[in-house]
Amino acid sequence: MTSILVLNGPNLNLLGQRQPEVYGRTTLQDVEDMCVASGKDAGLDVICMQSNHEGVMIDAIHAAKGTHGGIVLNAGAYTHTSIALRDAIASVELPVVEVHLSNIHAREAFRHHSHIAPVALGQIAGFGPQGYDLAIQVLAKHLEPKT
Ligand code: DHK
């Protein structure tokens, strides 16, 4: 079965406790369990990982090449700052769906720009944890063998 990586970045380990009015009350464990279940429905094995460290995330993206068919990525604040993460995604040439729980375009101006978006298949923002489910469905469709 094809596998995909669901990679969450800095501060997302605090989901459920962190600014619940912005990020909701769902914990990261809940999100990851939901991703595994969505993957199963879509015929994908889902491997979840979270890191607060940019370099660890870059290593995970490199390691995904040859291991996973694609990546669902919530890079947290690195979305807005990290050219290194963008370069890692461009280097591995894997389909990446960018996810944000909150609608980054309706928040502070510094959150409106994403370094990830130009190298991603697309971006899903503002739908809370459901965004991960949508991203997995998009990736599953994208990874379907073309006949
Ligand atoms: C999560 C973060 O940690 C923020 O830094 C981003 C994103 C938005 C989210 O909505 O999931 O700006």
Side-chain angles (χ1 to χ4, degrees):
M1 199 190 288
T2 305
S3 73
I4 61 163
L5 176 67
V6 175
L7 179 58
N8 280 293
N11 300 306
L12 292 163
N13 54 312
L14 298 179
L15 273 185
Q17 313 159 35
R18 167 196 188 206
Q19 295 179 274
E21 68 288 359
V22 178
Y23 298 107
R25 297 231 172 247
T26 308
T27 66
L28 180 62
Q29 187 63 58
D30 293 336
V31 168
E32 292 183 343
D33 290 347
M34 195 200 69
C35 287
V36 171
S38 301
K40 209 169 170 189
D41 288 347
L44 294 172
D45 259 335
V46 172
I47 306 301
C48 298
M49 179 181 164
Q50 186 275 332
S51 177
N52 292 321
H53 305 278
E54 191 175 15
V56 173
M57 293 179 70
I58 291 167
D59 287 344
I61 291 166
H62 292 175
K65 192 177 172 75
T67 308
H68 300 296
I71 303 174
V72 172
L73 175 64
N74 184 346
Y78 289 142
T79 303
H80 319 298
T81 62
S82 180
I83 296 168
L85 269 179
R86 174 197 162 125
D87 285 351
I89 293 164
S91 305
V92 297
E93 295 176 332
L94 284 171
V96 171
V97 181
E98 177 184 355
V99 171
H100 301 287
L101 293 145
S102 63
N103 180 357
I104 54 173
H105 303 287
R107 297 182 63 195
E108 303 95 323
F110 64 83
R111 294 185 204 274
H112 296 178
H113 180 259
S114 165
H115 285 294
I116 309 300
V119 289
L121 215 50
Q123 184 192 72
I124 296 169
F127 299 110
Q130 200 192 346
Y132 290 84
D133 179 43
L134 296 171
I136 289 167
Q137 289 182 45
V138 166
L139 261 189
K141 188 82 192 155
H142 183 82
L143 294 172
E144 258 175 22
K146 315 274 180 288
T147 49

